Amino acid sequence: MNATIAAQPTGVYSLISSHSVSDQGNWLLEILSSIRWKLAETLSLGGPFREAIDELGEVYLEGLEPGWDGYGAQPVSEEVLENAVTFLCRLPQDLPMPDVSADAQGEIHFEWFSNPHRTLSVSISPAGVLSYAGLFGPNRTRGLELLAGGIPPSIVSNIRRVFE
Amino acid sequence: MPREVEQIDRDEPLARFIFSRSHFSSAKKIVKAPAFIPAPDDLQTSVFRIHELGERQIRDIGEDVGRTQNPPRSPRAGGEIEVHAVINVGLNVGVGLDVIPDKPPPRHAEIIGWPRDDKPQQLEIAKLLAAVAQLVLHD
């Protein structure tokens, strides 16, 4: 673990010790922290990316326990977090960063939003299955892809479509 | 206690109490699709029938729902605000879902009919619900 990172925990990372996160989950959160600080130091695009990473960490910590949504939600697993980190890191840099949330099935959601009727959501499963659905005015789209290699072109093109 | 209403009208408003801060955006004044995605074991979304109720009464129901949870919680996902989403029964029917009474507690109902083993379709339906849901923030 980077000593600089350890010395300067902020926001969600300062809360990690108060949660029952497994070794694997801690390792992933340290990865998030590392990415966050590298971006803060070097890249002009670090702001939105850093915010998305922070949101991801917060969503993961909120979703650790069964029933975290107040109903019968499954916890967000380390595999889902790992896949979500991979997804964010592989997003083309010219794309806007998404909002982050989680659902009752323990999947992490990324959402790109122009208005309530022009929006795309991608959810990520523990196995790296990407389910997506988009509303584009009167038109809709949905599908399944695998998180292997880069971000699937169908998802990239639908993200761009939100902001056309 | 108001008289229990048994028949569900298509025009009835429903409240979905939100306990996760990631399920809404107070800045954008929107409810997010994951707020409606059903748990995988029963594929149902818990809601409350709120016709003829005032804001204070709706808020009380939300507080009651929170108190029955383990650990008890309040629908104040943003920290200082309380939130719920309002959608109409007719909308659920329009996207292939149904709403059935499920007491107790009083006024409780479940949105049923979610497609099984089809996450993209579940997501699309949830997005349609979220697109027209009204986010209510309690001061």
Side-chain angles (χ1 to χ4, degrees):
Chain A
M1 185 173 174
N2 184 309
T4 305
I5 297 165
Q8 302 179 45
T10 60
V12 65
Y13 306 104
S14 65
L15 300 174
I16 290 173
S17 60
S18 66
H19 289 73
S20 54
V21 183
S22 71
D23 289 344
Q24 173 77 359
N26 262 324
W27 175 74
L28 286 163
L29 287 167
E30 286 174 11
I31 295 288
L32 290 181
S33 183
S34 173
I35 292 168
R36 182 184 189 280
W37 282 99
K38 279 181 183 171
L39 286 166
E41 290 167 0
T42 58
L43 299 177
S44 61
L45 55 77
F49 191 93
R50 192 169 61 243
E51 288 172 12
I53 290 290
D54 282 352
E55 253 189 289
L56 183 55
E58 289 171 7
V59 166
Y60 174 66
L61 289 176
E62 185 189 57
L64 279 174
E65 302 293 332
W68 57 266
D69 68 342
Y71 301 99
Q74 290 186 341
V76 177
S77 68
E78 294 146 5
E79 290 80 8
V80 168
L81 176 62
E82 189 170 4
N83 288 331
V85 171
T86 301
F87 184 95
L88 273 187
C89 290
R90 289 181 182 171
L91 269 182
Q93 292 188 0
D94 63 319
L95 290 178
M97 283 292 126
D99 286 344
V100 186
S101 55
D103 71 21
Q105 300 171 8
E107 298 196 355
I108 283 182
H109 284 236
F110 293 124
E111 182 181 44
W112 291 262
F113 179 91
S114 178
N115 65 57
H117 302 280
R118 197 161 192 88
T119 168
L120 179 81
S121 290
V122 177
S123 73
I124 302 181
S125 81
V129 176
L130 307 173
S131 302
Y132 67 92
L135 307 180
F136 304 99
N139 301 313
R140 306 176 202 167
T141 188
R142 65 173 189 257
L144 275 179
E145 297 280 2
L146 285 176
L147 181 60
I151 305 297
S154 60
I155 290 179
V156 171
S157 63
N158 278 306
I159 294 171
R160 296 192 196 286
R161 195 176 169 195
V162 171
F163 302 100
E164 284 174 354
Chain B
M1 175 69 72
R3 181 177 163 271
E4 205 52 50
V5 178
E6 294 299 336
Q7 184 175 343
I8 295 189
D9 190 357
R10 280 181 71 105
D11 294 332
E12 269 195 48
L14 304 169
R16 168 73 168 171
F17 294 103
I18 296 175
F19 297 92
S20 166
R21 69 178 64 118
S22 79
H23 283 176
F24 71 100
S25 166
S26 54
K28 295 174 183 169
K29 296 181 173 58
I30 59 164
V31 183
K32 297 183 181 179
F36 298 105
I37 294 282
D41 52 349
D42 60 5
L43 286 183
Q44 297 181 347
T45 302
S46 174
V47 291
F48 281 81
R49 305 165 68 185
I50 57 170
H51 63 289
E52 298 178 348
L53 294 185
E55 190 173 296
R56 179 69 250 179
Q57 293 166 295
I58 297 170
R59 183 173 170 171
D60 287 345
I61 293 175
E63 293 288 349
D64 287 344
V65 173
R67 273 192 289 270
T68 64
Q69 295 170 352
N70 186 18
R73 66 188 79 198
S74 173
R76 56 179 72 236
E80 70 288 350
I81 55 175
E82 298 182 353
V83 293
H84 68 267
V86 176
I87 52 176
N88 282 321
V89 173
L91 172 71
N92 293 281
V93 175
V95 295
L97 304 178
D98 202 356
V99 183
I100 57 168
D102 184 37
K103 296 178 292 184
R107 290 185 175 268
H108 185 246
E110 296 280 3
I111 300 175
I112 62 170
W114 290 91
R116 186 172 293 278
D117 300 326
D118 190 340
K119 187 63 181 276
Q121 192 178 4
Q122 290 178 7
L123 189 51
E124 181 180 326
I125 293 170
K127 289 186 74 64
L128 289 167
L129 296 179
V132 295
Q134 176 195 357
L135 179 67
V136 179
L137 307 174
H138 299 269
D139 295 327

